[in-house]
Each structure stands twice: as C-alpha cells, then as structure tokens.
Amino acid sequence: MHLVGLGFGIALTRSCALGVYYPGVIYRPISAPEPHAAVYAIWRPETLSPEASVLLAYVQAEGRQGAVE
C-alpha cells in the first residue's frame, strides 16, 4: 500500500483493509462486469516462493483466457 501511495501502480486487497488510511491511496471496488488491468510481477529468480509461482501461473492462465490483460 505504501508503494501505491507513492504512485507505483495498484494493489488488490481484501475489504478488511478499507479502514486503513494510506496517504494518496483511494479504495475502489472492482465492480465492472469485466475488469481489466495490466499485471506486472517483479522478483529475484532465486527468491520466487512456491506461493508466488502458483499466483503467477493463475494470472497467466487467466490472461490467455481473456479474463486478465
């Protein structure tokens, strides 16, 4: 959230984060019928966790199906 407040993109978060104030951050629900966003992942190859690998595989699969661009 701090990086978002500094102007470095967007963050997806759960609704429980709505009560947390971060300067420069505006919370908006994803409510469009087909939300689209560019997704970038940055990591050091030697530190990619198994959980991050699963997330990246999911995002790539959804992107191929047209749900994520």
Side-chain angles (χ1 to χ4, degrees):
M1 297 301 282
H2 295 291
L3 291 174
V4 173
L6 292 171
F8 291 99
I10 64 170
L12 301 178
T13 185
R14 298 175 67 169
S15 61
C16 62
L18 294 176
V20 179
Y21 173 74
Y22 286 94
V25 175
I26 299 172
Y27 294 91
R28 296 286 187 251
I30 298 175
S31 59
E34 296 183 37
H36 294 280
V39 176
Y40 300 90
I42 302 169
W43 68 93
R44 294 175 64 130
E46 64 271 12
T47 61
L48 183 62
S49 70
E51 295 83 5
S53 296
V54 170
L55 176 63
L56 291 171
Y58 170 77
V59 169
Q60 289 172 334
E62 289 296 313
R64 283 191 293 274
Q65 294 177 11
V68 178
E69 292 183 342

